[in-house]
Amino acid sequence: MTIKQVAEKAGVSVASVSNVVNGNYHKVSAETRRKIEKIIEETGYTPNAVARSLATQESKIISLVIPYIGSFFSFNYNPYYAELVAELEKYVREQDYCLMIRCIERCGDIVPVLASWNVDGVFFAGASAEDIRKVRQNLKCPAVFIDSYCEENGVVCVGIDDYRGGYLSAQHLLNKGHRQIAFAAPRFGTEGVIWERFCGFRDACAEKGVTIGQEEIFEVDTVESNSIIAGNDIALSPRKFTAVGVMSDLSACGIIQGLRQCGKNVPDDISVIGFDNLSICSFTYPKLTTISQDISAKARRSGDLLLRMIREKHELTACEKISVKLVERDSVGKL
């Protein structure tokens, strides 16, 4: 069944059927709409999405790009990405769009793919400032960069107040009397999410005369075995750390295991604070004290800005930060 056959069966024009299919009800009478909808229901007619896209210049597809993921790693391994994807998909679905997810090793690889799919807009998760500049030169549709820092014209970034999150993390440990403090995070440069968290953590410590230098920094990622090794290193360090601020809940769970392997009890021997407030925080032992970010609010705000650019057909410039807060549970003790 084609749109032309539906029109012939209803005794109306193809344009009238197209208006009903695309929700332009104000362009047809109520009687004509009922007649067309009845025939569509009886015949099981389904519009051709590709033809519809060409006609309306809208694909109703929004892409989510998760960069820096190689063949050895899947985004759903990290609960943070799983929660972010769930919130973005929910928002996009409510707006009558479809979410297309693509994981890539390099940001630049995705531009030809997006063009071939004729997507209406794109979310990028965690892209670097350098990659944002390169992508924007070639990307022909609106984009919102989530968990990125790039304050340039025509770039929209949405994230959280990472600096304050790092500050609150260290402040909580310091208020509990800790002075021998370690910092655990992925490798970082002088920009981006982890850099901002480190700066907040370092500055809070400096206010109390505590130094966070290379000897206090432990590199860790979201691979569980690597986090466990970092926990071993912290436990066996001659610095005799009493607390560690970890910039990821998943890494914090691995570090706790590593500490336990070396006979250290959390929080009696070493306190641990995480970051993100993922659902796993309530299932660890002890339950994880952490810095909470509102992933749902971040997804909604990202969606609002992207849909605004799509519908109003003009670019925006924005760098918005969602607030964070401390969630105290059982993994940080008082000296």
Side-chain angles (χ1 to χ4, degrees), residues 84 88 91 123 144-147 156-159 296-309 320 322:
L84 179 63
L88 287 173
Y91 176 93
F123 297 115
V144 170
F145 298 89
I146 302 173
D147 297 329
V156 177
C157 295
V158 177
S296 177
K298 181 162 61 176
R300 289 196 305 272
R301 186 56 185 153
S302 300
D304 288 344
L305 289 168
L306 186 61
L307 265 293
R308 179 179 168 187
M309 288 188 286
E320 300 197 6
I322 308 298

Side-chain angles (χ1 to χ4, degrees), residues 34 59 62 85 91 157 177 180 189 253:
R34 285 194 296 270
S59 65
I62 290 176
V85 168
Y91 176 93
C157 295
Q180 293 297 108
C253 292

Side-chain angles (χ1 to χ4, degrees), residues 8-27:
E8 290 174 350
K9 195 173 180 66
V12 299
S13 67
V14 171
S16 294
V17 178
S18 178
N19 284 327
V20 172
V21 168
N22 291 304
N24 299 320
Y25 303 132
H26 63 285
K27 294 185 178 181

